[in-house]
Every structure is written in C-alpha cells, then in structure tokens.
Amino acid sequence: MIPIVLASVLIASALGCGTPTIEPLTSRVVNGEDAIPHSWPWQISLQYERDGEWRHTCGGSLVAANWVMTAAHCINTKLSYRVVVGKHNLVEAEAGAQAIVPEKIIVHRQWNPILVALGNDIAMVKLSEPVTLGDHVHLACIPSAESLLPNQYPCYITGWGRLYTGGPIADKLQQALMPVADHETCTQNDWWGVAIRRSMVCAGGDGVVGGCNGDSGGPLNCKNADGTWEVHGIASFVSGLGCNFIRKPTVFTRVSAFNEWIDEVMMNN
C-alpha cells in the first residue's frame, strides 16, 4: 500500500481568529459539498505559474496577515507561486479576492520528500505584503501545543481538490465532514498501521468521504468548546488505493505538534 501525497510575531491565537463572519453550514474534497461562499475565510489557494497561467495546486491556512501554513510537499523550489485569499470559485473573478506573491517559503528542516511517512510535512509561506482582513479573509486559529482530539471528534476538511480519484479539481470550495480517527484506531493493522506517527492526525476512513489531490496543505477544521474553529491538521497524504479507500483515512500533519516550530519561523523571518 503506497501513500500518495495530496499535491496535483503574531500567531493565529490572536483575538478574533477562527470566527468567520459567514458561519459555515455544517450539516461532500471526495463526496463533499459546496461550502457556503467565504464561510472558511482562512482557506487559501496556493497557485503556481505555467505557460502564463496560474494553476491551483494546494490549499493552506492564513495564520497571520502575512503568513500562510501549508504542506511541505506542496513546495517545489523550481516553481513560482502566489497565494490567493478570499476565493470561493476558482474560475470566476470575485470581489475581495487578493493574490500575493511570497517573500519567503520555509519548509520544515526534517521534511524528507522521498519518505513522506516520516512526517514533518509542514511549510510556512511569508507573504510579500499583508493581506487585507475582512468578512471574506480571516485568520485561522492554531490549537494549543500537543492538543489531541478524541476518536470521532467532528472536523471538516475544505479544499478545491479532485472530486474523485483521478477526477477534475473542484471549481467551488468543497467541505466534508471527516471525524477524527484517533492514534489507536488509525494505527490498527487494517487501517494505516505503523505508517502513522504521533505527529500526524487521521480523519475519515469510511470509504465514502476523503481528501484528494489538490486538497494538500489545506486545513482540518475543528470547532472547540468555546465555539471557535481551530486548524488541527494540514492535509498530507491518502492511500495509493484511492482518495476515499475504506479504513485508509486522510492523513494530516498534526498542527499541535509543531507550535514551537511555527512560532520560531514567524518570529525569526
């Protein structure tokens, strides 16, 4: 079973993070549904330039006005990138959307692109200028260090990834309910087994809903007891058997394992 990556200083515990002006409708990403426009206002589209066009490749989360958190495997040093905030439909011009080029991209020093299952699939993108925050652009909250969610905790993946294995990417931002599969569950032999490390978090695994190529780097959004949304995961990889293969949940970098690294990067760059 070969895992495949999902590719095709002010930290965001700041006042007001994780509280969208437009509340998401949390009542199908593979077998997801269209999100309410701008209800996940920290979601960004990471795009690269090819043949004079900008193309979506990954998601990410806006954690400060000039910082985005995404997956390390989304970054190719040979490509030129831009970050687009305030988007819902990638193929339409939308009022309030902003496109900003990076000033700097920092990939975790222990990321190994050949051995994805070693973890550390996290990168920070410093923007060349701060975005303008508002109803359509808002900061994500980061959970406190080493926060762990219980089994079946309800979380939502969001992204413009493929609508099914091998299918087209979504035009409109998708959302899908994907409950957490805790470490004990996800490391069972008929799940992911020893491939899952403590620095990861699994979600989904029902064989119906899952992240897919293009959702990489995007958030696993989980509402805390205070009603604030926190980004607990960064979409990292799925099974080579398919994006929504049963008992092979989408695997995320667990954000709460990297608070110290995130702080260090944002304060020193």
Side-chain angles (χ1 to χ4, degrees):
M1 181 152 321
I2 303 171
I4 58 173
V5 292
L6 295 172
S8 128
V9 177
L10 178 67
I11 201 164
S13 55
L15 182 65
C17 70
T19 53
T21 304
I22 303 166
E23 188 68 19
L25 178 63
T26 51
S27 39
R28 295 167 314 189
V29 193
V30 174
N31 290 318
E33 61 193 357
D34 292 355
I36 292 177
H38 313 299
S39 59
W40 306 103
W42 46 86
Q43 172 83 46
I44 67 95
S45 169
L46 182 67
Q47 302 179 355
Y48 68 97
E49 187 179 17
R50 177 177 289 177
D51 301 328
E53 294 183 359
W54 290 100
R55 307 182 183 198
H56 172 83
T57 183
C58 281
S61 301
L62 186 71
V63 295
N66 63 334
W67 282 101
V68 163
M69 180 175 67
T70 189
H73 80 258
C74 291
I75 305 304
N76 182 335
T77 56
K78 296 179 181 179
L79 297 178
S80 296
Y81 292 99
R82 71 177 186 178
V83 167
V84 185
V85 301
K87 287 297 290 179
H88 174 68
N89 191 324
L90 292 179
V91 299
E92 293 183 357
E94 295 174 315
Q98 305 164 57
I100 298 137
V101 297
E103 175 184 312
K104 185 183 293 188
I105 300 176
I106 299 98
V107 172
H108 195 281
R109 54 189 170 271
Q110 292 180 297
W111 161 248
N112 186 332
I114 299 173
L115 297 171
V116 180
L118 288 180
N120 304 304
D121 190 6
I122 183 172
M124 297 292 290
V125 180
K126 185 178 185 181
L127 304 179
S128 56
E129 58 183 285
V131 303
T132 301
L133 301 178
D135 290 350
H136 294 180
V137 182
H138 210 66
L139 301 185
C141 284
I142 290 176
S144 58
E146 297 304 331
S147 298
L148 297 175
L149 297 173
N151 196 47
Q152 293 297 300
Y153 195 93
C155 296
Y156 284 79
I157 187 175
T158 51
W160 290 276
R162 296 188 187 277
L163 295 169
Y164 51 88
T165 304
I169 69 166
D171 292 338
K172 298 177 181 178
L173 184 67
Q174 301 289 292
Q175 67 177 43
L177 174 62
M178 295 215 316
V180 167
D182 66 8
H183 190 75
E184 182 180 2
T185 300
C186 203
T187 53
Q188 292 179 36
N189 289 337
D190 59 340
W191 286 60
W192 274 108
V194 296
I196 301 305
R197 295 174 176 260
R198 292 280 180 185
S199 60
M200 302 172 180
V201 59
C202 302
D206 63 359
V208 178
V209 174
C212 205
N213 309 72
D215 291 322
S216 283
L220 182 68
N221 305 287
C222 311
K223 201 177 224 181
N224 67 20
D226 296 327
T228 300
W229 290 96
E230 297 174 332
V231 175
H232 275 261
I234 302 166
S236 183
F237 63 88
V238 294
S239 172
L241 297 173
C243 292
N244 53 341
F245 201 78
I246 192 165
R247 291 188 293 277
K248 293 296 179 288
T250 304
V251 181
F252 299 78
T253 301
R254 179 169 61 82
V255 174
S256 64
F258 293 92
N259 293 60
E260 185 176 340
W261 181 81
I262 295 167
D263 285 343
E264 175 189 319
V265 167
M266 295 174 70
M267 287 189 294
N268 296 330
N269 290 279

